[in-house]
Amino acid sequence: MAVEIKRVGVIGAGQMGNGIAHVCAAAGYEVGLHDISRDRIESGLATITGNLNRQVSKGQITEEQSRRALDLIKPAPQLEDLAEFDLVIESASENEQIKRKIFSQLCPSLKPEAILATNTSSISITRLAASTDRPERFIGIHFMNPVPIMELVELVRGIATEDETFEASKAFVAKVGKTIAVAEDFPAFMVNRILLPMINEAIYTLYEGVGSVEAIDTAMRLGANHPMGPLQLADFIGLDTCLSIMQVLYEGLADSKYRPCPLLVKYVEAGWLGRKTQRGFYDYRGETPVPTR
């Protein structure tokens, strides 16, 4: 069943979800934004408004373009509100059971020709697709964070993904102005298969006392010309997300080189998840971030 994508549903109004909604609306798509509470949706809309205003102030878009994009985004408090959408992108927590639960609740409402996508950064597309009623119309569309700024999208087919779904997804990604990198359905795909072990190794370097938080980040910024240090980046991503991805790699590839650093596990157990909780490898509660080790 051919489908022309005109309306895009986004499940999850957090950092990734509101970014996806932002770029979809800016490209002219009608967007339905869903989360588990109205407060979370409103918070996501406020973030989108702030980011659009920032783009206006920098001269990247006009006031009219900003207003038009905001007008295209509507709250979708119930999953059933996405019933008539052509593409629905799940961007919930990087937890397979949470994603499966969402799909089981969502699929009965979707029209048969709708494409269902996941923004997972590590979990098997084939396995997630098998938990839905439309594995042939299921695909991984992995945006990078922050979505309005980062140019890349990893497109990942499951074993059952049909060519029509793949081509429609390619056209969608092109329309939102992103560059596609096609990845095979292996744990963590390409970007995180390379990036997260580097971050995990930086945490091991801290754990073993080779360097302090500040020294490690300075070394990689100035010695490898990275825009931010790996520990600062881990805080930005979220330490719980970093741990989830490392666990997917460790379990999926059965190689000890992907074992999550015990210090990463300890920080997550403490609830020190990075910027979103105000503490991680840095403490963000003051005027300037302060290393916690």
Side-chain angles (χ1 to χ4, degrees):
M1 290 174 286
V3 58
E4 182 182 358
I5 297 173
K6 293 182 178 178
R7 306 179 74 198
V8 179
V10 179
I11 298 174
Q15 192 172 36
M16 292 302 297
N18 70 57
I20 294 169
H22 175 153
V23 299
C24 289
Y29 289 106
E30 293 181 47
V31 177
L33 185 60
H34 171 82
D35 212 309
I36 58 175
S37 71
R38 174 71 73 161
D39 286 347
R40 291 197 184 192
I41 296 173
E42 293 300 328
S43 177
L45 289 170
T47 298
I48 295 168
T49 301
N51 289 338
L52 286 167
N53 288 340
R54 191 175 299 111
Q55 288 181 317
V56 171
S57 68
K58 291 181 177 180
Q60 296 170 340
I61 60 174
T62 65
E63 286 275 7
E64 175 58 29
Q65 287 173 318
S66 174
R67 282 195 299 271
R68 192 159 59 239
L70 281 173
D71 287 344
L72 286 170
I73 306 173
K74 306 297 182 188
Q78 307 299 322
L79 285 173
E80 292 80 4
D81 296 331
L82 304 176
E84 295 303 315
F85 281 68
D86 309 306
L87 168 66
V88 177
I89 304 171
E90 170 274 317
S91 186
S93 300
E94 193 67 0
N95 179 297
E96 185 166 346
Q97 296 310 310
I98 290 174
K99 293 179 186 295
R100 284 172 173 267
K101 183 177 180 181
I102 289 169
F103 298 145
S104 68
Q105 295 172 342
L106 172 68
C107 284
S109 301
L110 290 182
K111 57 187 181 182
E113 66 270 27
I115 293 172
L116 181 53
T118 176
N119 185 57
T120 181
S121 55
S122 62
I123 301 168
S124 166
I125 303 303
T126 297
R127 197 164 64 241
L128 289 175
S131 70
T132 76
D133 63 353
R134 61 194 67 218
E136 70 287 346
R137 304 190 74 74
F138 189 95
I139 193 165
I141 302 179
H142 177 213
F143 288 85
M144 304 293 139
N145 186 32
V147 179
I149 296 171
M150 300 297 280
E151 297 180 16
L152 185 73
V153 168
E154 283 183 314
L155 208 55
V156 191
R157 300 176 71 151
I159 194 171
T161 306
E162 290 182 343
D163 289 345
E164 184 180 68
T165 302
F166 180 65
E167 293 301 326
S169 301
K170 281 174 61 179
F172 160 74
V173 173
K175 187 173 177 181
V176 298
K178 303 299 184 184
T179 298
I180 294 168
V182 178
E184 293 298 321
D185 189 17
F186 281 83
F189 318 129
M190 289 186 298
V191 172
N192 284 330
R193 171 79 176 265
I194 298 166
L195 178 63
L196 264 297
M198 183 201 74
I199 289 174
N200 194 53
E201 193 63 28
I203 299 170
Y204 266 115
T205 304
L206 177 65
Y207 178 60
E208 294 167 3
V210 180
S212 65
V213 168
E214 194 169 24
I216 291 165
D217 277 354
T218 299
M220 293 306 291
R221 280 199 312 271
L222 303 184
N225 203 29
H226 289 192
M228 66 172 70
L231 302 175
Q232 182 188 6
L233 178 57
D235 277 356
F236 181 76
I237 293 169
L239 302 191
D240 52 339
T241 300
C242 292
L243 178 58
S244 293
I245 295 170
M246 287 309 303
Q247 287 169 332
V248 167
L249 282 166
Y250 187 43
E251 293 164 9
L253 298 172
D255 192 323
S256 61
K257 72 180 180 180
Y258 298 115
R259 183 172 72 95
C261 179
L263 184 60
L264 174 59
V265 175
K266 184 179 289 187
Y267 269 58
V268 172
E269 289 176 344
W272 292 18
L273 308 182
R275 282 184 174 272
K276 60 188 173 186
T277 59
Q278 296 298 298
R279 279 195 291 187
F281 292 111
Y282 292 86
D283 188 325
Y284 300 92
R285 293 174 295 175
E287 289 186 12
T288 57
V290 177
T292 54
R293 288 179 78 89

